[in-house]
Amino acid sequence: MTQQPGVPSAGLARMHPAYFALVMATAIVSLACELTGLHSLAVALLVVNIGFYPALWILTILRVVRYRERVIADLHDHGRSVGFFTTVAATCVLGSQCLIVGQNVTVAVVLWIAGIVLWAALIYGVFTILTVQVAKPTLAEGINGGWLISVVAAQSVSVLGAQLASHLPHGEGILLFSLAMWLGGGMLYLWIISLIFYRYTFFTMQPSDLAPPYWVNMGAAAITTLAGTMLVAAAPQSPVIAQILPFVRGFTLMWWATASWWIPMLLILGVWRHLVRKFPLRYDPLYWGAVFP
């Protein structure tokens, strides 16, 4: 295949589908800065992210055009296919960033709609492909924390929807949809984390098995907690949420406790991986998931 000038073909061919985690991580830090009074830094990170997001889409489209067989292989790979869900989460978290830091409702709405479309295409597309394909890895080889990005994607849609409800007509319907996404994403977490916990405790673990996505074990529970708090705050606008408010509050507290439990566990496993077993610490795009907590 002829190489185009200025395009690092080898790197583009190997580009991980989860690279949109860069946008997610940047937006998370920006929102944290905004909420703690560091407005100038929050705006600077928003500006940076506005550059990152289209740049990653351009690289993704180039990869689809030039290395379509690689992209198709990624979609059939149990380890890499779930990385595509970062496009959903990046889109919606950037939408939250534009709404809260940039005060731009229109852009946030456009990104929310785009996130819903991406979520619907990927949640049924990726899981259908992985379900019907004949050749499959063992559980120990195929499951990792990256699978929980599918949960992060659903909850990012829920968070942005809850944030936008007060700015748009039909807010009750938007909140009902956000509630459904929150509950569905929560059930998906319980299904997947059960398999991950089973893999951790009943199969031999090598340092290489604790790949960077294991931080999403906590991150997925954290954003589920955030989505719950957004729904609780929006309860006065939604008769449905108001009727089940004690349940939403209690379930949100459960997610907070779950996310908190994972933090020391992940730190201990990180010490075992890098200090006890001397696994080298190298840059990996999947380490952006470590920002999610």
Side-chain angles (χ1 to χ4, degrees):
M1 185 175 292
T2 305
Q3 203 170 11
Q4 295 180 6
V7 178
S9 293
L12 186 63
R14 296 193 303 267
M15 180 180 168
H16 202 287
Y19 233 120
F20 276 87
L22 166 63
V23 174
M24 297 166 59
T26 305
I28 289 168
V29 176
S30 175
L31 290 165
C33 289
E34 179 69 16
L35 295 173
T36 52
L38 301 173
H39 179 68
S40 297
L41 183 54
V43 172
L45 290 172
L46 171 58
V47 172
V48 169
N49 231 12
I50 290 172
F52 286 158
Y53 185 73
L56 286 169
W57 272 117
I58 290 170
L59 290 173
T60 299
I61 293 169
L62 277 174
R63 186 169 185 259
V64 170
V65 171
R66 300 194 62 208
Y67 302 103
R68 186 171 303 175
E69 69 285 351
R70 294 277 191 122
V71 176
I72 293 173
D74 284 345
L75 286 168
H76 287 80
D77 187 286
H78 278 64
R80 290 173 66 93
S81 60
V82 288
F84 287 101
F85 285 106
T86 58
T87 60
V88 181
T91 300
C92 290
V93 179
L94 178 60
S96 294
Q97 191 183 12
C98 290
L99 180 65
I100 295 172
V101 179
Q103 299 293 309
N104 194 315
V105 176
T106 302
V107 172
V109 170
V110 170
L111 289 170
W112 184 56
I113 294 171
I116 294 172
V117 172
L118 285 168
W119 173 82
L122 289 170
I123 199 73
Y124 296 108
V126 169
F127 285 141
T128 297
I129 290 171
L130 296 182
T131 298
V132 302
Q133 68 181 15
V134 177
K136 299 182 182 182
T138 63
L139 178 65
E141 296 169 339
I143 196 75
N144 61 65
W147 276 63
L148 290 169
I149 294 291
S150 61
V151 176
V152 175
Q155 302 300 9
S156 68
V157 172
S158 177
V159 168
L160 184 52
Q163 291 170 336
L164 285 170
S166 62
H167 298 276
L168 300 173
H170 310 294
E172 289 184 19
I174 292 172
L175 288 171
L176 180 60
F177 174 74
S178 297
L179 176 65
M181 291 294 293
W182 180 64
L183 293 171
M187 285 307 303
L188 189 58
Y189 180 91
L190 295 176
W191 297 335
I192 296 174
I193 202 65
S194 298
L195 294 174
I196 291 173
F197 198 81
Y198 175 63
R199 190 263 178 271
Y200 277 14
T201 53
F202 288 94
F203 292 83
T204 302
M205 292 292 291
Q206 300 297 330
S208 57
D209 294 331
L210 283 171
Y214 68 82
W215 277 100
V216 189
N217 295 0
M218 184 274 175
I223 193 172
T224 306
T225 304
L226 175 62
T229 64
M230 294 291 100
L231 293 170
V232 168
Q237 306 169 55
S238 170
V240 174
I241 297 176
Q243 289 178 14
I244 61 171
L245 188 56
F247 164 77
V248 177
R249 283 177 170 159
F251 212 30
T252 299
L253 184 61
M254 187 205 77
W255 290 118
W256 173 81
T258 301
S260 300
W261 181 88
W262 272 112
I263 295 175
M265 187 67 189
L266 293 173
L267 290 173
I268 291 167
L269 291 174
V271 169
W272 173 80
R273 186 185 197 223
H274 296 294
L275 298 183
V276 176
R277 298 298 299 272
K278 309 297 183 184
F279 192 83
L281 182 62
R282 304 190 188 94
Y283 173 76
D284 188 310
L286 300 178
Y287 272 120
W288 287 106
V291 179
F292 298 170

